[in-house]
Amino acid sequence: MIPASVQILHWSHYVAACLFALGMFGFLIRKNAIVVLMCIELMLNAVNLILVEVSMRSGHPEGLIFVIFIITVAAAEAAVGLGIILNLYRAKGTVNIDAFRELQG
Amino acid sequence: MEAFLPIGILFLFAVMLCAGIYVLTNLLGPRIFQKNKLSTYECGVQNPLFETNARLPFKFRFYLVAVIFLLFDVEGAFFLPWALVYRESLQLGANLLIAMLVFSVFIILGLIYVFQNNYLNVD
Amino acid sequence: MDLTELSIVSIKTLLIYVAFIQVVPVMIWVERKGAALIQDRPGPNRVGPFGVFQPIADALKFLFKEDPVPKEVNRLLYNLGPFLILLPSSLIIAAIPVGDRVELFGRDILLQVADIDVALLFFLSISSLGVYGILFGGWASNNKYSLLGAMRSSSQVISYEIPIALSAANAVMFYGTFSLRQMVMQQEGVLLGFLPNWGIWFQPIGFLVLFVALFAETNRLPFDLPESEAELVGGYHTEYGSMKFAAFFMAEYINLATASALLVTLFFGGWHVPWLSDSWLLLKLGSQNVVALVQVAMFLAKISVLLCIFVWVRWTVPRFRFDQLMHLAWGNLIPLGLANIIVTAILLYFFEGR
Amino acid sequence: MREVFFMIFSIFTVLAALGVVVSRHAIFSAFSLVLAFFGLAILYLLWGTSFVSMLQILIYTGAIVVLFVFVVMLLDLKKEETLDSAKTGPLVMAGLSVWFFSLLILRALNRATYFKSTNVEAASDIKSISTLLFSKYLWGFEILSVFLLALIVSACVLARAEYMERKADQ
């Protein structure tokens, strides 16, 4: 294993950072619960992109295995998250996250 | 990566075809707009029948189909890499066969569960 | 990727794409003539001899018809709807190996848009994108019937994607590769003396599952529920006018052609002439280009046989009810595909395992 | 040649991701999510992993976002005011945290040096990924199947079709 001083910062680093930043921004700002879930998916994809890029440039394919597992977990998260949102919609009649404030006493 | 360049070219041709269709239709088609032509098709009924809430549960079954599809699609996708390496791995013994049998047991359990509570009787 | 190679690739892509688009008018004519034959009526014979120019007349009619866009429809998705189906179905053409290779301009040109090593996986994932055209088209036309039609049609299309994935996995297990070109290479010559060396003899159940699932994937009868005139007034393309309505059917026929091309590539030996091996053909016919011509003709013959079967089934089998349709997918095809994979895995172990 | 494609599709993906956050109606954000994932799949392709990019299109764009679109079509959402109705406080805080976080990532990555293994090309085609998946990570694969079974049960219970029917019919 020889340390390689590869040109570190590449386009996809910026893309991944922007994706994560946008996902986080949407997660904090948006009022619609479904769009919040979509922004979480965006964040997961930013992680995937960095994993693919680093594993391809360094030659270790383990990163790709992690990407496959992350895709599965993201599918799981979307399925259960949307199930919860549907139940909240049935209980509250709206998907706006301001309405789900039961625990605030 | 080089092999995917022709697919990009094919995509360009497809986009050109679609744009051609869209532009030709707008150029050649006549423009005679009457009121009733512009409202969506309602079978002649003025106020659409099922405006009430009754539609909600009917549509929930489609959500169920989509969720169960998502989970089984992920499981189906795991069969693809397995199938790729299964034939060579037989020389090294049957551990891939056993791995897939265990995987299929859980899929079958999932299918049985879905069918037993007939979540999928979408009618 | 110098310029000459780029131009060769783009010309080849254009030729193959136009060839696949020519399937649409031919299929319109075959469909109407086939239906007429089955229902014992003459069918279109006014426009030109035997109604051969009828598809052209239809195309012109669609072009010159007005395209009324209802008011309360949101423009972007409404206009994008039909093209979101047409784009994926034309992208799938890239994975189909039409012929072996041709020696022109001193180069070996593969008779295939893109020889990628993930061709079958590419086919699966791009065909799963077709759902968006149905969903957005149905939702954007802002009409109860088209919304429900879009939901029913897309739940049918997605629940038939899993049997396709399972039978594809079965095929990959046999051929040991995703590339459709290698799969066709392995189906050459003669098997057990009298059979052509096709894939169907090894995986009959895989073929059955894929054949039925591809019917549903292309929304063909007997899985024609979303467009069934009786219940849903035309399903998700109720609100579409002239050429956009034609775009839906163009996409359906291109899907039909690519689906039968996939069946031919996986199970009926692609561009191989049955019983004859390529080297023998090269010996007989001299130059490689003539052999390639014969191979492409054989590929087209096999596809047309399957297309006629599609048309024949459409006009003889009654339509499924929606829950029967879902039961067929989840209750019969998916367990059958799964069992097929397990059984073939075990058999392979006994024949080849240590 | 490859750098040009990288630049085009990077910008395309970021713009599509921006569309997800900004668009007014949930179905437009779902549509731009599809474009973002498609752009990402092409980026993976440019990096050379055709298997992961096809998997991304197959599962992410072909199943997860379809589920999102189904749910959005299920609940007839009205067009909502997105950004201007939010109070300015969380907006500024969110913007700052976003900016700070992306800076953090870039800073950390800048110093990372890779230990380049010898066989870059061999390690990345499908066969080697699959053999690795089923040799070293076989247990992860088995645990995944149990995980997916638990998911099927939980997703079905969450949907609770019968209970919803009764509730909606009252």
Side-chain angles (χ1 to χ4, degrees), chain C residues 74 76-77 80 84 117-118 121-122 124-126 128-129 131-132 135-136 139 147 150-151 154-155 158 176 178, chain D residues 1 25 27-28 30-31 34 38 50-51 54-55 57-58 60-63 65-66 69-70 73-74 126-127:
Chain C
N74 50 47
L76 175 68
L77 292 183
L80 262 182
L84 275 181
D117 53 358
V118 269
L121 199 52
F122 176 82
L124 286 178
S125 30
I126 298 293
S128 78
L129 288 180
V131 179
Y132 287 110
L135 277 175
F136 288 135
W139 188 82
L147 183 66
M151 284 234 174
S154 44
S155 53
I158 55 176
F178 277 128
Chain D
M1 179 66 156
H25 197 284
I27 207 151
F28 290 119
F31 180 60
V34 168
F38 204 70
S50 46
F51 178 52
M54 289 306 142
L55 213 58
I57 297 179
L58 184 70
Y60 253 118
T61 330
V65 185
V66 167
V69 173
F70 256 72
M73 283 167 76
L74 212 55
I126 324 157
K127 261 203 190 350

Side-chain angles (χ1 to χ4, degrees), chain A residues 1-26 28-32 34-35 37-39 41-42 44-46 48-50 52-62 64-87 89-91 95 101, chain D residues 3 6-7 10-11 13-14 17-18 20-24 26 29-30 33 36-37 40 43-44 47-49 51-52 55-56 59-60 64 67-68 71-72 74-77 80 82-83 90-91 93-95 97-98 101-102 105-106 109-110 112-117 119-120 123-124 129 132-133 136-137 140-141 144 147-148 151 154 158 160 163-164 167:
Chain A
M1 297 292 180
I2 40 154
S5 62
V6 182
Q7 186 257 337
I8 299 295
L9 283 191
H10 188 276
W11 273 95
S12 42
H13 281 280
Y14 295 111
V15 171
C18 291
L19 277 183
F20 192 86
L22 280 170
M24 197 169 179
F25 184 75
L28 292 171
I29 282 297
R30 283 302 290 264
K31 287 284 177 274
N32 182 342
I34 299 171
V35 181
L37 258 181
M38 286 186 201
C39 296
E41 294 292 330
L42 267 183
L44 278 167
N45 270 291
N48 278 353
L49 180 59
I50 292 264
V52 164
E53 195 239 343
V54 168
S55 75
M56 284 312 291
R57 285 175 69 175
S58 67
H60 303 285
E62 279 81 2
L64 305 177
I65 309 287
F66 296 156
V67 168
I68 294 172
F69 287 159
I70 286 180
I71 288 182
T72 321
V73 171
E77 180 260 341
V80 176
L82 283 169
I84 293 171
I85 288 178
L86 278 182
N87 279 328
Y89 179 83
R90 203 174 29 71
V95 191
R101 286 194 176 158
Chain D
E3 292 310 317
F6 253 117
M7 197 158 47
S10 309
I11 296 172
T13 316
V14 171
L18 188 68
V20 172
V21 177
V22 168
S23 53
R24 311 192 79 80
S29 53
L33 196 65
F37 287 166
L40 266 171
L43 276 182
Y44 295 159
W47 276 114
T49 53
F51 178 52
V52 171
L55 213 58
Q56 158 100 359
I59 296 182
Y60 253 118
I64 294 180
L67 183 59
F68 274 113
V71 170
V72 165
L74 212 55
L75 326 166
D76 340 332
L77 304 169
E80 38 173 284
T82 50
L83 296 183
L91 186 66
M93 184 267 292
S97 65
V98 153
F101 201 86
S102 44
I105 293 179
L106 291 183
L109 288 173
N110 210 351
T113 59
Y114 304 108
F115 290 95
K116 205 170 185 53
S117 95
N119 50 4
V120 174
S124 71
I129 301 172
L132 182 68
L133 175 63
K136 200 165 151 202
Y137 294 92
F141 175 70
L144 214 59
F147 172 66
L148 283 168
L151 259 161
S154 58
L158 265 175
R160 274 204 307 275
Y163 176 66
M164 282 185 192
K167 183 92 176 45

Side-chain angles (χ1 to χ4, degrees), chain C residues 160 163-164 206-218 220 222-223 263 310 320 328-329 333 336:
Chain C
Y160 276 91
I164 290 181
F207 167 73
L208 196 66
V209 169
L210 190 60
F211 186 63
V212 173
L214 281 177
F215 258 95
E217 195 72 20
T218 55
R220 290 286 296 185
F223 298 93
L263 282 170
F310 271 102
F320 275 114
L328 176 68
L333 281 190
L336 193 62

Side-chain angles (χ1 to χ4, degrees), chain C residues 187-191 193-198 201 264 267-278 280-281 294-295 297-299 301-302:
Chain C
Q187 297 179 34
E188 193 182 351
V190 183
L191 178 75
F194 59 99
L195 287 175
N197 182 8
W198 287 347
W201 317 121
V264 162
F267 297 108
F268 293 111
W271 30 263
H272 284 299
V273 180
W275 291 295
L276 308 177
S277 70
D278 284 355
W280 184 81
L281 266 177
V294 167
Q295 283 167 350
M298 179 49 71
F299 185 74
K302 290 179 184 173

Side-chain angles (χ1 to χ4, degrees), chain C residues 231-297:
Chain C
E231 296 134 69
L232 279 180
V233 183
Y236 52 86
H237 41 69
T238 317
E239 291 302 324
Y240 280 94
S242 60
M243 210 44 197
K244 296 198 195 92
F245 187 79
F248 275 111
F249 281 93
M250 226 168 125
E252 185 195 325
Y253 282 126
I254 295 181
N255 268 339
L256 205 61
T258 39
S260 45
L262 179 74
L263 282 170
V264 162
T265 320
L266 283 182
F267 297 108
F268 293 111
W271 30 263
H272 284 299
V273 180
W275 291 295
L276 308 177
S277 70
D278 284 355
S279 48
W280 184 81
L281 266 177
L282 193 59
L283 216 63
K284 259 299 176 258
L285 299 173
S287 87
Q288 169 65 20
N289 297 356
V290 178
V291 169
L293 215 61
V294 167
Q295 283 167 350
V296 170

